[in-house]
Amino acid sequence: MTANAPGQVCLMQGNEAIVRGALEAGINFAASYPGSPSSQVLGMLGKVAKERNFYAEWSTNETCAMEACIGASLANARALCIVKQNGLLFAADAIHCGAQHGVKGGMVIVTSDDPSAHSSTNEFDSRYQAMSANIPMLEPTSMQETKDMVPYAFELSERTHQMVIIRLTTRVCHGRGNVVLGALPEKPHQMKQVGEWDRMVCVSYLRSAMLQKMDMLRQEFENCPYNHYVGPDHPKELVVAGGTGRLYGQEAIRRLDVGDRVGLLSLGTIWPLPEKTILRHLEGVEKVLTLEEVDPVLERNLQAIAGSHQMKIVFSGREDGALPKIGELDPDNVAQAISLLTGAKLPEKKIASQEPLIERELTFCAGCPHRATFHILKKVLRQEKHPGAVIGDIGCYIMSGQAAGQYAFQACNCMGSGINLAEALGQLTHYGLDQKVVTVCGDSTFFHTILPGLVNATYHNANMLLMVLDNSATAMTGFQPHPATGITAMGDQVPAMDIQKIVEGIGCKAEIADPFDVKETEKTIRRLLNTPGMNVLIMRQPCATLMTKKKKRPVRVYVDQNVCLGDGCGCDKYCSRVWGCPGNTWDFKNNKAYIDPVTCVGCGVCAKLCPSGAIKVEGGEEA
Amino acid sequence: MKKLKFDPLNIVICGIGGQGNVLASEVVGSAMTDRGYRVAIGETYGASQRGGSVMSHVRVSEDQELSVLIPSGEAHMIIGFEPLETLRMTRKYAGPNTTIVYDPRPVYPLGVLQGIQQYPDQEALMAEIESLSAAAYPVPAADIAMEVGDSRAANIALLGAFTQLPDAPLSREDLEKILTQRFKGAVLELNQKAFTKGCAAVNKKEA
């Protein structure tokens, strides 16, 4: 990554290409909060930050990260902020104010959208944020462009005194392609002392300056090297592509053999759009297909441009159903849409069996403490007078809404919302709502956005229980450090923050329980559910994946099939069917329980749950 | 640069989260990049967590710039770490020229263990994989990995088997070299053992 080998060809992931681009741009400052699909970027930056003499941090949340980057820009530093689509929304106020006051040192935001919501709860389109805040946005169509756009964006940002957003999508972040490396600068970008009369202040009259910048950029983008056209001189049919659409489109045009009559215009400048370039290519065209990820943003803008020039063009894409309204582009739906546009057909394929195959639902890992937590919580709630109201939050434990967590929660909104939704229900228990109210959050989420909600709920004495599922990791996105881990993105050891002390510091009771100590924890939860006011229970047990990374399997857990009564037991296959750990499988030949040694990590909780005592824990102490 | 039998050459690597899918695709992709080919890889991961279906698409060409995903029916080779996932991808991506190497050891979805789903019949499943491909080679990669000491080496064992396929773009020696570049000490030793046994697993079948 830090090799100064211009011209060398590497196989690079999109996330890596961003890192390399940042190094080639000589950044001074980088900040992020992990969010897939771009979670890996800051982790990689942190590892090389000292060597390349810049600062990198995992911020407590995206607003901290975004505002810190704006701060760095005041000192003429080049600052890079990396977020996912939800993170960009979370920091929306900061970018709207930032766009109005502009920047000094180059500031680039990388946002990663997640079409098909592979690792998100939604597929929001971040282009609306660029449009709404008047921030220029670029979108690469290959790994090479992904790298090259970073230094380009910094240069553009400095020239226009405006932040620049680079929009990525999952297939770019988690795709790999060949990248030709550029040179690394000897030193990072030159910073400047903040002068007494330097200003970056958001005031309303700066709106006109902001709009002038957009006009300037619109001009500039007419000649941007990231807008390409391939195809005949005056096509009747034109494909306009943004992002991943270019390569899917290019391949589909080749497979359909329509390259001599269909044009392909791909736009790397997503906002503002280069209107003159677009108009030039629309001239004489009868049909336009737009290939873009998520919403028909480009399509609607093309329609507006064509409409304002009285052009008679039939548009197709996401809007009219030529492409699906939800889900990502892929080679098949793009080829089909181009087939529809041109009438050309692909050769028929032999159709495989239509007999449905069972789906593989996501589940907690073997040995995951969350499984035990929700197992106990649901058990306790079922014994209450009324079933409780459980509010979820964002992290691995969102899977508790499915079979993995016994369909634990009734509501889950955005990250950090659980405490606030629950606070309302907790207040309503003072007004006749006769129900126990519980919400959960992870340790990283606790710092991200739970804290203000906890202050609110504690101050207003809501009747509720917050369970902090403290697995010592930002597990869902790949074990990034957070304030309770005692380590930073750059690898420095720092004092870890104590969640219990923080909670107690605001005047709220906080206890600690071990989810693997099934009996004691059950009693604790029952007691806290019946304690009026705001209660916090920290469920402490490290993430199973973190544990397997750190050490070899500490113990062997196995089924003594001489003791197991199989399906004649009456336990209803409790270990494999009810407990639901992927390690607890079933030996269909002997009709007895079986523990898969490949999957099991040796937490030993199932041994405590087996009514026959058939599950044995061997070697060392169980967890 | 050796001429490719198919251009682009399309390889699907599939399994469930945590089986070393990404590493396997990256090893194959880097090796082809070093040989001067253009490579594109698309990774689909199980929502960042474990247990879901995952796959990688590895695409190799002499001169074309490729998208990261393979069109359906256009895979030339499928490497499968789990039989149900192999069938799922075979149905979608296999064509008349596809060769498949896969581990026939099932990993049951949670719903099967909970009695709400039924895992397909093993023999029928293997027969369907065979019928949809030009040739299919079941290789007990996880068993091999456990034999040599760690189930996590299953992906390397299967890569060994992959090099023995008739149309493999990489030879046994190519991949052995990459293993020595990537791993050190005990992990290297373990992977080398798994790799050698994986290679032998396909040879045995053919002999």
Side-chain angles (χ1 to χ4, degrees):
Chain A
M1 191 56 77
T2 55
N4 196 7
Q8 190 184 321
V9 183
C10 299
L11 179 65
M12 230 178 227
Q13 199 198 37
N15 283 336
E16 290 170 342
I18 291 290
V19 173
R20 178 68 195 194
L23 299 184
E24 289 179 11
I27 59 163
N28 308 93
F29 191 95
S32 177
Y33 181 83
S36 298
S38 57
S39 298
Q40 293 143 310
V41 177
L42 197 112
M44 291 188 273
L45 284 170
K47 287 204 179 89
V48 298
K50 285 185 179 165
E51 181 188 339
R52 301 299 306 170
N53 196 25
F54 66 89
Y55 176 78
E57 76 170 26
W58 280 120
S59 305
T60 305
N61 63 38
E62 293 88 346
T63 300
C64 296
M66 195 69 73
E67 290 164 356
C69 285
I70 294 170
S73 165
L74 181 60
N76 204 47
R78 285 194 161 184
L80 177 69
C81 183
I82 307 107
V83 289
K84 71 180 290 182
Q85 80 272 20
N86 305 83
L88 191 69
L89 286 174
F90 184 66
D93 201 4
I95 65 166
H96 280 70
C97 293
Q100 193 143 315
H101 63 55
V103 297
K104 297 202 181 294
M107 174 164 165
V108 175
I109 301 163
V110 169
T111 176
S112 57
D113 286 7
D114 192 12
S116 282
H118 292 281
S119 51
S120 307
T121 58
N122 56 73
E123 40 177 19
F124 298 142
D125 192 321
S126 61
R127 289 177 293 178
Y128 295 117
Q129 291 293 305
M131 293 163 76
S132 151
N134 288 290
I135 298 174
M137 179 179 256
L138 306 169
E139 185 172 0
T141 68
S142 67
M143 304 312 154
Q144 182 72 51
E145 285 186 355
T146 304
K147 177 195 77 75
D148 293 345
M149 269 186 184
V150 181
Y152 172 76
F154 273 109
E155 189 264 329
L156 190 68
S157 170
E158 276 155 14
R159 205 144 35 77
T160 57
H161 299 291
Q162 186 56 290
M163 48 179 81
V164 177
I165 305 179
I166 299 176
R167 181 201 192 210
L168 306 181
T169 51
T170 303
R171 293 295 171 192
V172 175
C173 293
H174 280 267
R176 285 171 203 270
N178 297 129
V179 175
V180 182
L181 302 184
L184 293 180
E186 258 176 53
K187 284 185 291 190
H189 185 71
Q190 185 64 49
M191 291 185 280
K192 278 186 203 150
Q193 281 186 339
V194 181
E196 190 181 354
W197 297 103
D198 281 345
R199 291 289 182 277
M200 271 171 41
V201 183
C202 180
V203 281
S204 60
Y205 63 78
L206 284 176
R207 185 169 163 79
S208 72
M210 175 177 75
L211 295 176
Q212 274 168 17
K213 288 176 189 173
M214 287 310 266
D215 288 338
M216 200 172 118
L217 283 155
R218 199 171 285 115
Q219 283 303 319
E220 161 119 18
F221 284 171
E222 298 292 353
N223 300 308
C224 176
Y226 298 108
N227 299 329
H228 323 264
Y229 176 79
V230 269
D233 282 346
H234 301 287
K236 294 268 181 274
E237 293 141 346
L238 179 70
V239 176
V240 184
T244 59
R246 176 172 79 91
L247 290 177
Y248 295 141
Q250 188 173 293
E251 190 169 344
I253 288 172
R254 192 171 57 229
R255 289 172 68 215
L256 288 159
D257 197 22
V258 291
D260 56 343
R261 62 186 180 101
V262 177
L264 175 62
L265 173 66
S266 70
L267 297 171
T269 57
I270 289 300
W271 196 254
L273 287 170
E275 280 192 26
K276 284 183 197 143
T277 305
I278 290 170
L279 276 171
R280 205 168 57 241
H281 286 285
L282 290 182
E283 205 64 55
V285 166
E286 291 168 6
K287 290 196 278 184
V288 170
L289 168 69
T290 308
L291 305 175
E292 59 192 314
E293 295 287 13
V294 190
D295 284 333
V297 174
L298 185 56
E299 190 179 345
R300 285 180 195 145
N301 277 293
L302 294 175
Q303 287 170 357
I305 293 170
S308 65
H309 289 80
Q310 291 87 41
M311 290 175 151
K312 277 199 178 156
I313 297 174
V314 179
F315 285 90
S316 64
R318 296 267 186 191
E319 190 117 77
D320 73 333
L323 286 161
K325 285 200 194 316
I326 55 168
E328 63 186 348
L329 297 178
D330 65 38
D332 299 322
N333 58 30
V334 168
Q336 206 184 345
I338 296 180
S339 170
L340 209 64
L341 178 80
T342 59
K345 295 254 182 299
L346 282 174
E348 295 263 333
K349 286 263 151 61
K350 198 176 104 187
I351 294 167
S353 165
Q354 298 291 305
E355 194 71 25
L357 288 177
I358 52 170
E359 292 299 323
R360 206 173 273 277
E361 191 171 286
L362 295 177
T363 181
F364 295 128
C365 303
C368 175
H370 296 337
R371 176 177 292 102
T373 293
F374 289 102
H375 185 88
I376 305 165
L377 176 64
K378 283 302 275 188
K379 189 176 170 197
V380 174
L381 286 173
R382 280 191 200 106
Q383 291 164 355
E384 287 290 323
K385 190 167 56 172
H386 306 296
V390 181
I391 311 296
D393 215 303
I394 304 295
C396 285
Y397 44 91
I398 195 169
M399 284 186 290
S400 67
Q402 307 166 355
Q406 308 192 22
Y407 308 96
F409 58 74
Q410 286 96 341
C412 185
N413 183 262
C414 65
M415 189 149 173
S417 64
I419 181 92
N420 301 316
L421 268 67
E423 192 258 345
L425 296 171
Q427 296 301 353
L428 293 175
T429 61
H430 297 299
Y431 295 85
L433 181 74
D434 187 10
Q435 236 179 349
K436 303 298 183 206
V437 179
V438 182
T439 184
V440 296
C441 75
D443 38 344
S444 189
T445 306
F446 176 83
F447 291 103
H448 180 277
T449 24
I450 292 296
L451 262 174
L454 180 62
V455 169
N456 184 53
T458 304
Y459 185 69
H460 295 103
N461 198 31
N463 259 332
M464 61 176 283
L465 170 63
L466 165 68
M467 292 169 74
V468 182
L469 314 183
D470 182 3
N471 60 359
S472 314
T474 317
M476 193 179 205
T477 48
F479 309 101
Q480 292 81 6
H482 63 64
T485 58
I487 193 154
T488 69
M490 290 169 74
D492 292 325
Q493 304 279 337
V494 290
M497 290 192 182
D498 184 331
I499 295 177
Q500 188 181 26
K501 279 192 186 148
I502 292 172
V503 176
E504 286 170 351
I506 63 165
C508 179
K509 298 166 290 233
E511 295 187 30
I512 294 179
D514 176 2
F516 288 172
D517 186 355
V518 180
K519 279 195 185 131
E520 274 309 306
T521 300
E522 189 183 320
K523 282 187 221 158
T524 308
I525 294 177
R526 189 171 292 117
R527 175 167 50 76
L528 291 178
L529 282 179
N530 289 293
T531 308
M534 182 67 214
N535 294 279
V536 174
L537 179 63
I538 300 164
M539 302 291 282
R540 188 162 286 166
Q541 184 64 247
C543 168
T545 303
L546 200 63
M547 295 308 282
T548 48
K549 271 182 204 273
K550 278 188 181 158
K551 56 181 177 183
K552 291 268 314 169
R553 232 154 264 163
V555 289
R556 183 171 90 96
V557 184
Y558 66 99
V559 176
D560 184 344
Q561 290 198 342
N562 295 321
V563 182
C564 174
L565 299 172
D567 54 9
C569 171
C571 73
D572 204 11
K573 298 187 183 175
Y574 199 85
C575 57
S576 67
R577 220 186 57 75
V578 180
W579 169 234
C581 171
N584 294 95
T585 67
W586 194 256
D587 179 346
F588 289 101
K589 275 190 203 116
N590 296 323
N591 219 353
K592 297 276 172 89
Y594 176 69
I595 288 173
D596 181 358
V598 178
T599 317
C600 175
V601 298
C603 76
V605 175
C606 59
K608 295 172 191 164
L609 302 175
C610 173
S612 308
I615 302 179
K616 307 290 181 192
V617 179
E618 186 185 87
E621 286 291 300
E622 58 194 87
Chain B
M1 197 164 61
K2 217 172 80 183
K3 195 151 178 64
L4 293 167
K5 187 174 168 192
F6 304 104
D7 192 341
L9 171 71
N10 295 323
I11 307 169
V12 172
I13 305 180
C14 62
I16 58 168
Q19 286 185 320
N21 210 283
V22 170
L23 181 78
S25 62
E26 208 230 316
V27 164
V28 174
S30 308
M32 296 310 285
T33 302
D34 291 346
R35 273 160 190 69
Y37 296 98
R38 298 197 73 149
V39 174
I41 302 181
E43 301 158 1
T44 304
Y45 50 105
S48 317
Q49 303 111 347
R50 312 204 149 199
S53 308
V54 295
M55 65 167 167
S56 301
H57 290 184
V58 182
R59 314 191 70 195
V60 186
S61 172
E62 280 165 39
D63 49 11
Q64 293 173 49
E65 189 178 15
L66 297 163
S67 75
V68 300
L69 293 180
I70 298 171
S72 59
E74 298 276 322
H76 302 106
M77 314 185 90
I78 297 176
I79 304 176
F81 294 112
E82 202 277 345
L84 173 63
E85 296 316 311
T86 306
L87 177 59
R88 205 190 301 280
M89 295 312 149
T90 299
R91 281 185 179 182
K92 180 157 189 204
Y93 293 105
N97 301 317
T98 312
T99 48
I100 300 174
V101 59
Y102 70 105
D103 190 339
R105 181 182 192 276
V107 178
Y108 297 119
L110 189 62
V112 169
L113 301 173
Q114 293 181 319
I116 47 178
Q117 289 176 322
Q118 201 177 356
Y119 197 86
D121 174 69
Q122 177 89 3
E123 275 173 30
L125 193 154
M126 291 175 72
E128 194 182 338
I129 292 174
E130 175 97 42
S131 76
L132 291 172
S133 60
Y137 304 92
V139 170
D143 292 344
I144 290 174
M146 275 188 284
E147 252 176 67
V148 302
D150 194 323
S151 58
R152 282 175 292 186
N155 58 346
I156 304 294
L158 210 55
L159 279 183
F162 165 73
T163 62
Q164 302 304 305
L165 296 187
D167 295 328
L170 289 167
S171 70
R172 176 179 179 151
E173 292 70 34
D174 292 338
L175 266 171
E176 273 171 344
K177 210 175 105 196
I178 296 166
L179 291 183
T180 53
Q181 287 163 357
R182 296 233 160 198
F183 302 104
K184 278 186 281 206
V187 182
L188 174 64
E189 209 176 298
L190 177 89
N191 280 331
Q192 279 172 331
K193 275 190 209 160
F195 185 80
T196 308
K197 287 201 166 211
C199 291
V202 166
N203 281 336
K204 254 185 251 166
K205 189 188 160 72
E206 282 174 341

